[in-house]
Amino acid sequence: GPRRKLPLILFTLIKPLAKITSYVLGRGTRKAWKKLPTTQQRTYLEMLNANRGAFMCTGAFSLGGLYYLYESHKQTCPITGRQKFVALTPDQARRIGEANFTEIVNDAQGIIVPETDPVYTKIAKVANGILHANSDLRQIYDKTWTLTVIDAPVMNAFVLPSGNIFVFTGLLENCSNMDQVAAVLSHEIAHVVLGHVEEKLTRTSFLQMLLLVPMSLLWVLIPYDGIGFVTTWFFDSVADIMLELPFSRLMEVEADEVGLVLAAKACFDIREAPKFWGRMAQEEEPLSEELEFLSTHPASQNRQDNLQEKMASALQIRQDCGCPPLDYPAPRSSHSES
């Protein structure tokens, strides 16, 4: 049957709400407990002990509800075959994207590159090539795609789940050719094709629901607020390093690999993708690989190595799509026409 639609506010506000709720409940319970006379505290403890079976049943019922929520919102990604947990509907993701689009465009007034500008035309040619070549994918053809180029020295591009592509002119200055621009755009479009925003928001919301009770108990048991804030910060940091950051890096690798295929189908010189990340690796801090576990993204050297491993199969896909043959070795600065 159809998946039950969960309220959009749950995904956008769950993290701050969970922190506030655990603080208020836990701290309030601790303060109220301290004010009780010893005899009354003993009475409550005896009551808790006598009814521990009922409390355990309530806990088990709650965990069962969370398990049902997880199982009923599992789906298989049609592109990668990976099973994922997604409670956000495509319509909800589109609404989030549209709201962000309006906000970003308003903030960028005065530095948006006009569509008649040659820089816009160059980027539009790349974006249109990727979208046209992959229009067989439902996640491509079911959206109204837009391109906004922002004149700022920022090496960045991103795509909202509503299909709004943003590119900063600083990206072009850091790419040796338009094939490298295509590699970056394909990666960002792949995030949308794979539904990563929906999956990440769902995962974050679910983790916050799981952590609500332990975090509340933490505030009950810790005697001083100062220690409580430090402990919760440490708890959050560990949860990020152990749960959130590895998942974020997994999604980046997945977008790299799928993006390589999207670019291959559009007949770009995909050999430029690992070259781009190789140059990024040279510009990174010396310990970036060792400290990768603290980052949302894999180290650039690891991204280059992974893309190089996937290159043979991606080049075969490019050939199967009837693309013009590539020059060998890969040119330093060229763009294969598509």
Side-chain angles (χ1 to χ4, degrees):
R3 292 181 300 147
R4 188 170 179 183
K5 187 175 178 179
L6 298 175
L8 187 57
I9 195 169
L10 177 69
F11 303 99
T12 53
L13 295 178
I14 184 67
K15 200 160 188 173
L17 282 176
K19 289 183 185 300
I20 293 168
T21 302
S22 62
Y23 170 75
V24 171
L25 281 178
R27 186 174 180 271
T29 302
R30 169 162 51 86
K31 295 280 186 184
W33 180 261
K34 281 184 176 180
K35 290 178 181 177
L36 292 174
T38 308
T39 51
Q40 202 166 351
Q41 287 181 354
R42 192 178 298 114
T43 301
Y44 278 124
L45 287 173
E46 289 171 356
M47 184 188 71
L48 285 171
N49 189 49
N51 294 280
R52 64 179 181 276
F55 285 113
M56 289 175 69
C57 285
T58 302
F61 182 78
S62 301
L63 287 174
L66 287 172
Y67 179 74
Y68 172 76
L69 175 67
Y70 176 78
E71 283 294 322
S72 62
H73 288 86
K74 269 169 61 176
Q75 55 184 255
T76 302
C77 177
I79 296 168
T80 64
R82 178 172 66 84
Q83 278 224 320
K84 54 185 187 175
F85 171 46
V86 182
L88 208 67
T89 66
D91 180 61
Q92 288 174 322
R94 178 185 56 77
R95 284 161 54 197
I96 290 173
E98 287 173 352
N100 286 336
F101 173 75
T102 304
E103 185 179 343
I104 295 165
V105 169
N106 288 339
D107 289 344
Q109 285 302 318
I111 55 171
I112 293 177
V113 176
E115 295 182 15
T116 53
D117 191 289
V119 172
Y120 182 97
T121 305
K122 283 169 67 177
I123 298 171
K125 184 180 180 183
V126 172
N128 285 330
I130 297 165
L131 295 173
H132 177 73
N134 293 280
S135 58
D136 57 311
L137 299 174
R138 179 189 59 77
Q139 297 88 343
I140 296 284
Y141 70 70
D142 70 355
K143 292 177 180 61
T144 303
W145 295 84
T146 68
L147 171 65
T148 305
V149 179
I150 299 174
D151 186 13
V154 179
M155 197 198 75
N156 194 22
F158 59 90
V159 184
L160 299 176
S162 45
N164 307 109
I165 303 169
F166 286 87
V167 180
F168 292 85
T169 54
L171 176 67
L172 273 67
E173 296 164 12
N174 284 274
C175 290
S176 302
N177 49 59
M178 295 310 287
D179 289 300
Q180 293 189 0
V181 174
V184 175
L185 287 187
S186 294
H187 167 90
E188 298 302 335
I189 290 170
H191 276 305
V192 174
V193 167
L194 295 164
H196 282 167
V197 169
E198 298 95 306
E199 189 177 5
K200 190 169 185 178
L201 283 173
T202 299
R203 181 185 172 88
T204 300
S205 302
F206 190 71
L207 286 174
Q208 291 302 318
M209 289 165 68
L210 286 175
L211 292 173
L212 182 60
V213 172
M215 292 301 284
S216 298
L217 285 173
L218 204 63
W219 278 106
V220 170
L221 298 171
I222 290 174
Y224 304 107
D225 288 350
I227 299 172
F229 284 117
V230 172
T231 307
T232 51
W233 170 82
F234 177 77
F235 198 89
D236 283 342
S237 299
V238 171
D240 275 345
I241 292 170
M242 300 295 290
L243 302 171
E244 295 276 13
L245 295 179
F247 183 69
S248 178
R249 291 192 296 273
L250 167 70
M251 290 197 293
E252 292 301 325
V253 170
E254 197 172 70
D256 277 349
E257 295 174 1
V258 172
L260 192 69
V261 173
L262 300 183
K265 288 169 67 178
C267 297
F268 288 98
D269 188 347
I270 53 174
R271 298 171 299 176
E272 293 292 336
K275 281 188 175 183
F276 172 80
W277 290 113
R279 198 173 77 256
M280 292 299 103
Q282 293 173 358
E283 297 174 7
E284 282 182 350
E285 297 296 326
L287 293 175
S288 60
E289 282 188 79
E290 288 79 0
L291 297 176
E292 184 184 73
F293 71 98
L294 294 174
S295 175
T296 56
H297 289 59
S300 294
Q301 184 60 58
N302 292 337
R303 297 178 81 165
Q304 180 190 23
D305 294 343
N306 183 55
L307 286 171
Q308 203 60 57
E309 285 179 18
K310 306 294 179 184
M311 190 55 59
S313 60
L315 285 170
Q316 186 60 54
I317 290 170
R318 188 184 185 281
Q319 183 180 325
D320 294 343
C321 289
C323 298
L326 293 167
D327 296 327
Y328 287 89
R332 287 187 177 277
S333 57
S334 70
H335 171 54
S336 40
E337 297 295 328
S338 55

